[in-house]
Amino acid sequence: MATNLKKSKENKASVFQWLIVIFVPLIFALVFAVIILHFMGVDTGKYTKDTLNKVPFISEQVTTDGEELHANQLAEKDQVIKKLQEEVDALQHEVQTKEGTISELEEKNSTMSSQIGELEEAQQSETTNSGSLEELAASFKAMKPKAAAPIIETMEDDVAIPLLQQLDAEVRGEILSEMDPETAATYSDLLVNQ
């Protein structure tokens, strides 16, 4: 048994020695050949990748130049997509801001349009009142002061004062002279203060 154990150790040692004797020079020769081919201008890296890519289990671990180029192009396109997405997000934010501004301006426009409408109605009403006031003043000019004075005295102040302003100074004076002195004094004060 001791001899069998000794023989088995010698067999293992001799197999290991043969492996070293064969593989070390082979590896040295391969490295030397790659160096020489590299200096000669042969692309040994590409050739090695192409060859290893044909080996079943190793092909999964080795990437070819085409695969690397494709991966780089994908990475660049992903960066472009990310950049464009950021620009889209920024533009969407800007659109939302501008839509808010537009809605605010539309509200202001609506408010101002309604105010313009109200002012136009008021102006039209004043024009109508002014026209009717002129017609009324013409009627009072045609009347005798003694008849016009009691009518004006019974009118509201906001109607009587503009009416008196429409009349000529001479006609106005004659009508005021026919009024009650206190009422004439009040109308005179209001006419002077306007």
Side-chain angles (χ1 to χ4, degrees), residues 49 53 63-79 81:
K49 283 183 182 180
N53 204 19
T63 58
T64 62
D65 290 339
E67 290 172 338
E68 286 180 16
L69 180 64
H70 183 68
N72 289 340
Q73 288 174 344
L74 284 176
E76 288 174 5
K77 289 182 182 184
D78 285 342
Q79 288 176 349
I81 289 171

Side-chain angles (χ1 to χ4, degrees), residues 162-185:
L163 176 65
L164 289 170
Q165 286 176 335
Q166 287 287 326
L167 297 172
D168 294 336
E170 187 179 319
V171 175
R172 184 175 39 233
E174 290 174 1
I175 292 174
L176 287 174
S177 68
E178 294 295 327
M179 287 184 185
D180 177 51
E182 286 182 25
T183 307

Side-chain angles (χ1 to χ4, degrees), residues 152-153 155-166 172 176 179 181-194:
I152 293 176
E153 282 180 309
M155 289 181 178
E156 296 286 328
D157 289 349
D158 59 340
V159 175
I161 298 302
L163 176 65
L164 289 170
Q165 286 176 335
Q166 287 287 326
R172 184 175 39 233
L176 287 174
M179 287 184 185
E182 286 182 25
T183 307
T186 303
Y187 283 153
S188 297
D189 285 342
L190 290 173
L191 284 168
V192 169
N193 290 331
Q194 281 195 351

Side-chain angles (χ1 to χ4, degrees), residues 24 28 31 38 40-41 46 52 57 63 67 73 88 94-95 97 101 105 130 140 152 164 180:
V24 169
F28 179 74
V31 169
H38 179 69
M40 289 177 57
K46 182 181 178 189
L52 289 176
F57 294 107
T63 58
E67 290 172 338
Q73 288 174 344
V88 166
E94 187 177 336
V95 165
T97 304
T101 303
L105 291 174
S130 175
F140 278 94
I152 293 176
L164 289 170
D180 177 51

Side-chain angles (χ1 to χ4, degrees), residues 56-183:
F57 294 107
I58 298 176
S59 65
E60 296 171 6
Q61 306 300 324
V62 176
T63 58
T64 62
D65 290 339
E67 290 172 338
E68 286 180 16
L69 180 64
H70 183 68
N72 289 340
Q73 288 174 344
L74 284 176
E76 288 174 5
K77 289 182 182 184
D78 285 342
Q79 288 176 349
V80 169
I81 289 171
K82 184 178 179 183
K83 191 176 190 181
L84 291 175
Q85 185 61 43
E86 289 173 359
E87 289 178 16
V88 166
D89 292 342
L91 290 173
Q92 284 177 341
H93 178 71
E94 187 177 336
V95 165
Q96 289 174 348
T97 304
K98 290 190 179 195
E99 284 177 349
T101 303
I102 287 170
S103 63
E104 288 175 11
L105 291 174
E106 285 175 346
E107 287 177 25
K108 285 182 182 179
N109 187 21
S110 174
T111 304
M112 288 183 172
S113 294
S114 64
Q115 289 175 350
I116 287 171
E118 291 171 3
L119 288 173
E120 286 175 348
E121 287 176 12
Q123 185 179 14
Q124 194 172 29
S125 173
E126 283 181 22
T127 305
T128 305
N129 288 344
S130 175
S132 61
L133 190 62
E134 289 174 4
E135 291 175 7
L136 189 62
S139 302
F140 278 94
K141 283 181 190 177
M143 285 185 182
K144 293 191 179 202
K146 201 171 201 174
I151 297 172
I152 293 176
E153 282 180 309
T154 58
M155 289 181 178
E156 296 286 328
D157 289 349
D158 59 340
V159 175
I161 298 302
L163 176 65
L164 289 170
Q165 286 176 335
Q166 287 287 326
L167 297 172
D168 294 336
E170 187 179 319
V171 175
R172 184 175 39 233
E174 290 174 1
I175 292 174
L176 287 174
S177 68
E178 294 295 327
M179 287 184 185
D180 177 51
E182 286 182 25
T183 307

